[in-house]
Amino acid sequence: AQSVTQLDSQVPVFEEAPVELRCNYSSSVSVYLFWYVQYPNQGLQLLLKYLSGSTLVKGINGFEAEFNKSQTSFHLRKPSVHISDTAEYFCAVTRFQGAQKLVFGQGTRLTINP
Amino acid sequence: DADVTQTPRNRITKTGKRIMLECSQTKGHDRMYWYRQDPGLGLRLIYYSFDVKDINKGEISDGYSVSRQAQAKFSLSLESAIPNQTALYFCATSEEQGYGYTFGSGTRLTVV
């Protein structure tokens, strides 16, 4: 079975500062990895995904994530955040083959302060 | 119209009542899912369906049932609601592997 751990439940940063949201996963098989964002009172939107190929994945709104197989991590980064990035962010994993269900981490609440 | 529509958006119900949450999609996807979101726990899978004749339990299916009425419709029922089923419920759809999910806007359910 797969599992995901998001290492920070809350991350406060100042506007225009860089941010990293950490995600580690556990799986005995190859996986696909995803980051989703949930703005207040909304559903989840896909930010980016890693399927194969380059380990640096670029997503929407200036976010990027790097897949590190040896460390089983998929950390999300943005070099300069805006107030509008205030949201909850979820890391998720699904196995490469077989019955595929997304397994989510606990979420990280990103708060941007002016 | 939204790709994945959930009704109702908000619902307050009493303990012991039966309640149905509905989900419809226009994505044409075969795969549909029900998750619940609780603060600090992320999203946990309740049930999923890979086609109309396929229904599978997720990690927290006790107290819930589902019906896949058509490719586009997937309903979640709470047979006898209890307060710890108070949560935000999401329906999602997906293509085959690797493409990520499309989520509805959620149903906020409160059981009093």
Side-chain angles (χ1 to χ4, degrees):
Chain A
Q2 291 74 48
S3 66
V4 178
T5 301
Q6 292 183 239
L7 297 161
D8 305 290
S9 59
Q10 298 187 60
V11 174
V13 297
F14 287 106
E15 194 172 16
E16 298 183 5
V19 69
E20 178 180 81
L21 306 184
R22 297 180 294 167
C23 171
N24 286 97
Y25 70 94
S26 174
S27 177
S28 58
V29 299
S30 297
V31 295
Y32 295 136
L33 293 153
F34 304 82
W35 275 98
Y36 284 84
V37 59
Q38 183 181 31
Y39 298 107
N41 300 313
Q42 295 187 26
L44 281 74
Q45 298 177 31
L46 181 65
L47 264 182
L48 49 77
K49 60 187 176 186
Y50 173 78
L51 305 182
S52 65
S54 172
T55 57
L56 183 62
V57 180
K58 294 191 183 295
I60 62 172
N61 301 338
F63 283 93
E64 63 182 31
E66 185 156 20
F67 170 57
N68 188 319
K69 188 174 183 179
S70 63
Q71 300 200 358
T72 60
S73 68
F74 190 54
H75 300 333
L76 181 70
R77 302 185 183 101
K78 186 170 183 178
S80 177
V81 294
H82 302 285
I83 293 286
S84 59
D85 292 322
T86 295
E88 189 150 20
Y89 292 79
F90 292 95
C91 182
V93 63
T94 184
R95 58 189 295 165
F96 182 75
Q97 292 180 328
Q100 293 190 318
K101 303 160 286 180
L102 268 184
V103 175
F104 287 85
Q106 302 90 329
T108 297
R109 185 168 298 279
L110 177 63
T111 303
I112 312 301
N113 298 306
Chain B
D1 289 342
D3 294 326
V4 182
T5 302
Q6 292 184 235
T7 55
R9 289 295 309 274
N10 293 281
R11 180 73 182 266
I12 300 174
T13 192
K14 293 183 177 180
T15 298
K17 292 290 187 182
R18 184 178 189 275
I19 183 169
M20 179 181 290
L21 309 183
E22 299 188 350
C23 176
S24 63
Q25 54 118 342
T26 58
K27 300 286 288 184
H29 293 165
D30 287 326
R31 301 181 178 201
M32 298 187 74
Y33 311 82
W34 277 103
Y35 284 86
R36 67 176 276 177
Q37 182 182 7
D38 298 278
L41 297 179
L43 280 79
R44 293 178 293 165
L45 183 63
I46 307 172
Y47 271 94
Y48 63 102
S49 169
F50 283 176
D51 66 42
V52 175
K53 297 181 180 179
D54 176 74
I55 302 288
N56 302 282
K57 292 182 177 181
E59 59 179 307
I60 54 163
S61 59
D62 287 349
Y64 301 95
S65 63
V66 291
S67 173
R68 185 80 185 266
Q69 301 95 325
Q71 187 206 37
K73 295 184 182 294
F74 192 36
S75 300
L76 176 72
S77 294
L78 286 67
E79 299 302 326
S80 179
I82 56 176
N84 77 0
Q85 292 177 312
T86 292
L88 186 55
Y89 290 84
F90 285 105
C91 175
T93 74
S94 74
E95 295 180 80
E96 294 187 18
Q97 59 197 57
Y99 292 95
Y101 289 10
T102 300
F103 283 85
S105 298
T107 294
R108 186 169 297 279
L109 177 66
T110 303
V111 183
V112 297

